[in-house]
Amino acid sequence: MVPVISVPHVFNEEDLYVDLRPSFGHSLFLKCEGFNFAGSIKLKAATEMVEAAEVDGRLTPGSVLVESSSGNLGVALSMIAASKGYRFLCVTDPRCNLSTRRLMEALGSEVHVIAEPDTNGGLLGARLAHVRALCASDDRYVWLNQYTNPGNWRAHYRTTAPAIARQFPRLDVLFVGAGTTGTLMGCARYFRECRRPVRIVAVDSVGSVTFGGAPGRRMIPGLGTSVPPPLLDESYVDDVVRVEEADTIRVCHRLARSGFLFGGSTGTVVSGATGWLGRHDGTELTAVAIAPDLGERYLDTIYQSNWLQALYGEDVLSADGLAAGSRYVA
């Protein structure tokens, strides 16, 4: 039986789903990935990549892990590094939530914040250049490189997708947020190779170049990228939805008013999913969306009125906007 809840509870289970029909009027189940010690789905990829590096001999007792991350992978690697006795250095940028940076530092990690964007690759390009410079300066640094590492998608091929398939044997459509595209590609590959007729819908942020969109300002960390992700194979993706950040924020607040505090990536995925279902008469479809994390790390940003008004204007949380919740952009 699928463990579904319609009121907020605290669970310590990986396979927890929220039925969003009471809040959004669409038959959509939200797979909550934030109920682990790292607080996000990134713990799966981090574990897979670290263990593979240990097996192939790249990681040794004197190694220093280094990775570029907007936050959640950095926290996951901080926890793994601390538990295994490695040092870890996270390269991030000012969009990383302050609470996330403090959490990494509390776990013993070092954090470098890159404030100046690269001319062509934006802040992500600048972060990657910094990582490459570190690795060139000292051979103790081991870069897992979540952007090209097959362990990133393999973790979800082995865990996330099979778990969804077990719980929803008649799944019609799966909504997955696109960042590095590790979760997206792992799930898409699994359902394609299992010959399951599941429609894979990628959800991206407006301003991201992942699927060829024009680059633009993105202030919410997690989804989207300023550099095309090498892991992406668009032949596995059936449809793409792009979501404005203002709609992400509205959906996060609608979820909170229903008792569910989720992060920005989840707000983006739910916004994209409900918009797509509204356009495709999703009343008879079995649909699942993946929620990468919870909302506590966003209390100073998405859930802070001064931050919202400064970046998105005073009307971002207007009654009309909250009622609409989401728009289908692409």
Side-chain angles (χ1 to χ4, degrees), residues 67-136:
E67 186 57 89
S68 161
S69 170
S70 60
N72 282 335
L73 183 70
V75 172
L77 287 173
S78 294
M79 298 191 71
I80 293 172
S83 68
K84 289 177 173 285
Y86 299 119
R87 289 173 55 200
F88 172 57
L89 190 160
C90 181
V91 179
T92 189
D93 60 59
R95 294 172 298 183
C96 179
N97 298 318
L98 179 60
S99 60
T100 301
R101 287 161 48 189
R102 287 176 173 171
L103 179 54
M104 288 189 279
E105 291 168 344
L107 290 164
S109 299
E110 184 178 354
V111 180
H112 289 186
V113 180
I114 307 302
E116 292 297 324
D118 182 79
T119 303
N120 297 317
L123 286 169
L124 176 56
R127 280 162 37 188
L128 296 179
H130 187 74
V131 171
R132 293 188 184 100
L134 288 171
C135 293

Side-chain angles (χ1 to χ4, degrees), residues 232-249:
L232 176 63
D233 183 342
E234 291 191 52
S235 69
Y236 286 91
V237 178
D238 297 300
D239 204 354
V240 177
V241 179
R242 294 177 177 87
V243 176
E244 297 276 3
E245 286 194 335
D247 292 323
T248 291
I249 290 163

Side-chain angles (χ1 to χ4, degrees), residues 304-326:
Q304 212 282 329
S305 58
N306 290 337
W307 186 88
L308 291 177
Q309 291 174 7
L311 291 174
Y312 303 100
E314 295 184 357
D315 297 331
V316 67
L317 294 181
S318 65
D320 290 342
L322 285 172
S326 63

Side-chain angles (χ1 to χ4, degrees), residues 166-217:
R166 286 193 299 270
Q167 298 288 8
F168 296 91
R170 297 187 177 183
L171 180 67
D172 293 304
V173 57
L174 177 64
F175 298 94
V176 189
T180 64
T181 69
T183 306
L184 174 65
M185 295 313 302
C187 292
R189 280 191 168 94
Y190 177 86
F191 284 109
R192 175 77 62 85
E193 293 179 15
C194 290
R195 301 186 183 279
R196 292 278 298 273
V198 176
R199 191 172 184 86
I200 303 296
V201 179
V203 183
D204 197 13
S205 300
V206 170
S208 165
V209 304
T210 299
F211 295 96
R217 185 188 77 163

